[in-house]
């Protein structure tokens, strides 16, 4: 006799075309003589892809299908469910939100197992379904990893305690090198790095306090606390990172910069390292450069179609200057690399001078600024012009000398790409004037300026629509056409997939100003940035706030997030 729940599952498999009637009959006949779950029978017989079967089961039970490799697992959550229980019932604790614990299960319909987990943990159990192989792999990886982490930490503490220098005793460079090479320290640093990758962090901050050492990760633009190792681990951890980055471990009085590369889960990850002496020791920030996450297609940047056409017209120019502006961490490098990728053709010679070279691009000659050796942006730019380039990129226009060479290169038939630090696109023109560039040169050479910011993307699983109030709409200064529509925004709710933040990932908002006749005329007449901005908007430029509002109305981000990053009155 076929159970009612198995019958419903079979009907859904037929409806979705995952199995045909003959295959389903074969599965039911097999189940009569074997005590196995339908999902296990189907996948063991190779009748369907296991992801399709499990996804179908999740739909039937109205529960989430969790891909465990997408989640960073908190060691504290692992402690709630003993490993023996996880192995026996093929379950795995994923995360905890308040009094609710989400558990990945092979058989989420097993009420007895859910009841036992509730009794064992004291939390309400939120079942989810995962692939059996993923649960087994997670159990092996994370339970052992947590155990290894704890033992490593204990071992490091013991080692440091036994060798801890006295108050008046200084630690020699040789001693620091020895401490940093200890296996427990190596493991601890590796765990910090791998955890950051799992959490999709862009930066790791290792911050010395008076009595502690704080590790923080920047995820989707915001910092959050992670590990807090004991204070006396500080010399060993910092020395280990400095050795990886080929920095001088004996020098702690001046800032240092370096980089290193490691492979995590088959992915090559670059780390840019910056040290800064503080009153409580050296502060270290590691910028994570994950090549697998680099978007090189312009279409993937999230630029609205009307704005994208303007950008495409700009990069089709054979000469001139294209500038990208925005604060640190706003995605300027990704935009520049995406433009270079679009321009990278066999008939073009493309050369860059950068500080630093963040990603290596094929068929593009990339030079690294080295101020100590005398290779500045200006010097590098002059050298590039003797290399017969068609297109050149300068990492940043920081001074008048670099600006003048870039403008001259554009006026002599080269396409020049660079970044400049201004709050918006029109401000780029006045910034060049402040650097000593004659307005007539800017008006002749500049093709367009792109300003950008990064906003957090709403989690697709939990975002909720709502209607804004009339007073709120009035504050947003929408166009008459937009105000007449039935406008809907979305708010961040928080769920298991986004770790209760309401956001997952980031997207760009853009402001692209092209140089039309009116903008050129205003530039020649030394107009202010505000005057240029008003003219650009009148002529069709969509400012950062407006582009963000469009994305908010599409449900890509929240209104609060747009207001946070645009800072307009």
């Amino acid at each position: 006799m076929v159970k009612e729940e198995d019958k419903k599952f079979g009907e859904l498999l037929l409806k979705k075309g995952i199995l045909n009637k003959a295959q389903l009959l074969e599965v039911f006949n097999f189940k009569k003589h074997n005590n196995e779950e339908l999902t296990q029978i189907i996948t063991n017989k190779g009748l369907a892809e296991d992801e399709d079967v499990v996804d179908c089961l999740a739909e039937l039970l109205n529960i989430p299908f969790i891909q465990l490799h997408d989640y960073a697992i908190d060691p504290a959550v692992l402690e709630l469910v003993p490993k023996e229980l996880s192995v026996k019932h093929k379950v795995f604790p994923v995360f905890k939100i308040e009094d609710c614990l989400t558990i990945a299960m092979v058989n989420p319909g097993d009420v007895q197992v859910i009841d036992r987990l509730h009794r064992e943990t004291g939390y309400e159990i939120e079942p989810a379904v995962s692939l059996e192989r993923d649960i087994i792999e997670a159990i092996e990886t994370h339970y052992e990893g947590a155990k290894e982490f704890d033992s490593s930490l204990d071992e490091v503490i013991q080692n440091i305690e036994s060798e801890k220098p006295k108050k008046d005793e200084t630690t020699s460079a040789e001693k620091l090198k020895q401490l940093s090479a200890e296996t427990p320290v190596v493991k601890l640093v590796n765990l910090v790095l791998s955890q950051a990758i799992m959490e999709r962090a862009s930066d790791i901050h290792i911050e010395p306090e008076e009595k502690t050492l704080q590790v923080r990760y920047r995820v989707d633009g915001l910092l959050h606390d992670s590990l807090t190792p004991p204070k006396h681990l500080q010399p060993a951890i910092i020395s280990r990172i400095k050795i990886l980055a080929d920095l001088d471990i004996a020098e702690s009085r001046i800032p240092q910069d370096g980089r290193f590369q490691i492979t995590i889960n088959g992915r090559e990850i670059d780390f840019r390292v910056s040290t800064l002496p503080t009153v409580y020791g050296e502060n270290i920030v590691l910028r994570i450069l994950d090549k697998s996450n680099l978007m090189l297609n312009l279409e993937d940047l999230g630029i609205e179609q009307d704005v994208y056409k303007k950008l495409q017209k700009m990069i089709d120019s054979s000469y001139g200057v294209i500038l990208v502006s925005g604060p640190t961490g706003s995605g300027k490098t990704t935009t520049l690399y995406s433009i270079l990728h679009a321009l990278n053709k066999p008939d073009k010679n493309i050369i860059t001078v950068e500080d630093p070279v963040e990603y290596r691009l094929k068929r593009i000659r990339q030079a690294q600024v080295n101020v100590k050796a005398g290779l500045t942006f200006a010097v590098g730019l002059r050298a590039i012009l003797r290399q017969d380039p068609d297109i050149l990129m300068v990492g940043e226009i920081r001074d008048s000398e670099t600006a003048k060479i870039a403008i001259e290169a554009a006026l002599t038939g080269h396409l020049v790409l660079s970044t400049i630090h201004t709050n918006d696109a029109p401000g780029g023109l006045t910034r060049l004037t402040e650097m000593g560039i004659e307005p007539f040169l800017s008006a002749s050479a500049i093709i367009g300026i792109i300003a950008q910011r990064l906003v957090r993307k709403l989690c697709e699983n939990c975002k909720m629509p709502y209607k804004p109030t009339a007073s709120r709409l009035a504050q947003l200064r929408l166009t008459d056409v937009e105000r007449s529509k039935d406008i809907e925004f979305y708010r961040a709710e928080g769920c298991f997939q986004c770790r209760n933040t309401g956001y997952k990932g980031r997207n760009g908002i853009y402001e692209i100003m092209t140089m039309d006749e009116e903008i050129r005329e205003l530039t020649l007449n030394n107009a202010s940035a505000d005057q240029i901005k008003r003219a650009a908007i009148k002529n069709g430029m969509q400012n950062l706030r407006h582009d963000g509002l469009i994305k908010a109305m599409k449900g890509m981000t929240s209104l609060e997030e747009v207001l946070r990053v645009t800072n307009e009155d």
Side-chain angles (χ1 to χ4, degrees):
M1 187 70 179
V2 179
K3 292 181 182 179
E4 185 61 29
E5 57 267 27
D6 287 343
K7 185 178 179 182
K8 288 181 180 178
F9 188 32
E11 289 172 353
L12 188 57
L13 291 168
L14 285 175
K15 181 181 176 182
K16 288 184 167 291
I18 295 173
L19 295 182
N20 57 39
K21 289 183 179 179
Q23 290 172 326
L24 186 60
L25 183 61
E26 178 188 350
V27 170
F28 282 150
N29 286 335
F30 187 87
K31 184 172 175 61
K32 287 179 184 178
H33 308 288
N34 297 273
N35 187 26
E36 291 184 24
E37 298 298 326
L38 285 185
T39 54
Q40 191 175 353
I41 296 170
I42 294 167
T43 53
N44 286 347
K45 286 181 170 291
L47 298 176
E49 293 293 331
D50 47 7
E51 286 91 348
D52 294 335
V53 178
V54 172
D55 191 38
C56 194
L57 178 61
E59 181 178 333
L60 177 70
L61 299 176
N62 194 28
I63 61 173
F65 170 28
I66 287 182
Q67 302 271 18
L68 286 173
H69 52 73
D70 289 339
Y71 291 84
I73 306 301
D74 186 348
V77 172
L78 285 178
E79 293 178 3
L80 298 175
V81 180
K83 181 180 178 181
E84 296 74 19
L85 193 61
S86 287
V87 172
K88 180 179 179 180
H89 297 292
K90 294 178 182 174
V91 300
F92 187 79
V94 187
F95 54 84
K96 177 177 70 68
I97 298 174
E98 295 181 350
D99 61 348
C100 186
L101 178 64
T102 296
I103 300 282
M105 307 176 67
V106 172
N107 181 16
D110 194 329
V111 179
Q112 290 182 340
V113 172
I114 292 174
D115 286 344
R116 178 168 181 189
L117 288 167
H118 172 63
R119 292 194 305 271
E120 185 78 31
T121 65
Y123 290 93
E124 292 298 320
I125 302 300
E126 183 75 32
V129 63
S130 289
L131 298 175
E132 181 177 355
R133 66 168 184 266
D134 287 353
I135 289 179
I136 293 171
E137 182 182 345
I139 290 170
E140 292 174 352
T141 301
H142 291 285
Y143 276 100
E144 291 305 315
K147 182 180 177 183
E148 179 183 276
F149 179 85
D150 291 338
S151 64
S152 294
L153 198 57
D154 291 341
E155 198 174 336
V156 172
I157 293 171
Q158 290 172 7
N159 288 347
I160 299 266
E161 284 285 7
S162 64
E163 301 291 343
K164 189 176 177 182
K166 296 174 183 178
K167 281 188 177 180
D168 299 329
E169 183 184 346
T170 58
T171 306
S172 67
E174 192 58 40
K175 184 63 177 176
L176 286 172
K177 193 171 183 179
Q178 179 186 339
L179 284 172
S180 65
E182 295 284 344
T183 302
V185 177
V186 173
K187 286 181 179 179
L188 179 59
V189 170
N190 288 347
L191 284 166
V192 169
L193 300 180
S194 59
Q195 182 74 8
I197 300 302
M198 288 177 65
E199 292 199 22
R200 301 179 296 104
S202 60
D203 302 86
I204 304 171
H205 290 240
I206 300 176
E207 304 165 330
E209 302 289 347
E210 183 178 5
K211 297 180 180 178
T212 61
L213 182 66
Q214 179 67 58
V215 177
R216 296 198 290 170
Y217 296 146
R218 186 179 295 279
V219 180
D220 293 337
L222 300 180
L223 281 167
H224 69 85
D225 291 341
S226 181
L227 181 67
T228 308
K231 179 70 174 178
H232 36 269
L233 294 182
Q234 183 175 315
I237 291 173
I238 289 175
S239 296
R240 173 61 186 166
I241 292 171
K242 290 173 77 172
I243 287 172
L244 286 172
D246 198 24
L247 302 179
D248 184 356
I249 63 171
E251 180 57 78
S252 60
R253 299 164 299 172
I254 59 174
Q256 297 186 66
D257 294 294
R259 67 187 302 156
F260 64 91
Q261 183 182 87
I262 61 174
T263 301
I264 297 178
N265 296 328
R267 293 152 58 189
E268 285 189 354
I269 312 292
D270 285 337
F271 291 86
R272 243 170 53 199
V273 181
S274 171
T275 73
L276 178 70
T278 71
V279 291
Y280 296 126
E282 287 180 280
N283 192 82
I284 292 189
V285 176
L286 298 92
R287 169 65 59 88
I288 302 171
L289 306 172
D290 186 354
K291 296 175 183 177
S292 65
N293 287 337
L294 180 64
M295 293 185 300
L296 287 180
N297 292 320
L298 284 173
E299 296 86 351
D300 296 335
L301 294 180
I303 302 177
E304 296 297 316
Q305 193 59 39
D306 292 345
V307 181
Y308 181 79
K309 289 177 182 176
K310 291 183 180 181
L311 176 59
Q312 192 62 54
K313 186 176 179 181
M314 285 162 52
I315 67 174
D316 286 341
S317 302
S318 57
Y319 64 92
V321 177
I322 298 174
L323 296 175
V324 182
S325 74
T328 301
S330 61
K332 298 188 298 296
T333 300
T334 298
T335 298
L336 283 177
Y337 280 2
S338 297
I339 293 173
L340 286 178
H341 181 71
L343 295 170
N344 193 4
K345 303 291 190 298
D347 61 340
K348 299 294 183 184
N349 180 23
I350 303 176
I351 308 178
T352 75
V353 55
E354 307 170 54
D355 183 23
V357 176
E358 293 195 1
Y359 297 97
R360 272 65 168 179
L361 303 175
K362 290 183 179 179
R363 206 162 51 194
I364 294 178
R365 311 281 76 77
Q366 296 172 270
Q368 167 80 47
V369 164
N370 187 338
V371 177
K372 289 181 180 178
L375 179 55
T376 62
F377 277 124
V379 171
L381 194 46
R382 284 199 190 92
I384 286 175
L385 291 172
R386 295 192 290 271
Q387 293 280 315
D388 186 31
D390 298 294
I391 300 163
L392 51 100
M393 185 187 95
V394 188
E396 184 183 345
I397 292 179
R398 295 177 179 172
D399 52 55
S400 59
E401 186 180 9
T402 307
K404 287 174 183 175
I405 301 169
I407 294 288
E408 289 169 3
L411 293 174
T412 53
H414 302 89
L415 183 62
V416 181
L417 310 175
S418 191
T419 68
I420 193 166
H421 279 282
T422 58
N423 289 327
D424 56 16
L429 292 170
T430 53
R431 179 76 182 107
L432 288 173
T433 303
E434 291 167 1
M435 286 183 177
I437 303 299
E438 293 292 340
F440 76 90
L441 290 175
S442 297
S444 302
I446 302 296
I447 301 171
I449 303 177
I450 306 163
Q452 66 181 78
R453 300 288 189 277
L454 291 177
V455 292
R456 291 181 294 167
K457 292 195 294 187
L458 283 167
C459 173
E460 291 295 330
N461 187 62
C462 66
K463 66 181 182 182
M464 295 294 292
Y466 72 95
K467 301 286 185 183
T469 63
S471 60
R472 187 56 154 166
L473 285 175
Q475 294 174 351
L476 299 178
R477 295 180 294 205
L478 300 173
T479 65
D480 292 337
V481 174
E482 290 167 337
R483 203 177 293 113
S484 65
K485 295 178 181 177
D486 187 19
I487 292 176
E488 190 174 65
F489 289 116
Y490 293 77
R491 63 168 54 93
E493 289 291 317
C495 69
F496 64 93
Q497 288 193 8
C498 60
R499 299 179 68 83
N500 211 32
T501 65
Y503 298 94
K504 194 171 183 181
R506 288 192 290 176
N507 208 341
I509 58 174
Y510 301 89
E511 172 179 289
I512 297 183
M513 184 185 75
T514 54
M515 293 292 287
D516 56 30
E517 288 305 315
E518 185 174 359
I519 301 298
R520 285 194 173 90
E521 187 68 28
L522 287 168
T523 304
L524 287 169
N525 292 327
N526 274 322
S528 68
D530 285 340
Q531 289 175 303
I532 295 172
K533 185 170 188 174
R534 285 194 294 271
I537 291 174
K538 183 190 74 175
N539 295 339
M541 184 186 82
Q542 194 168 271
N543 65 14
L544 287 165
R545 169 68 62 84
H546 195 203
D547 189 44
L549 290 175
I550 290 173
K551 288 180 168 64
M553 286 185 276
K554 288 183 175 181
M556 298 168 67
T557 188
S558 67
L559 178 59
E560 292 73 21
E561 187 68 3
V562 173
L563 299 178
R564 179 180 71 84
V565 302
T566 53
N567 294 322
E568 291 187 15
D569 297 328

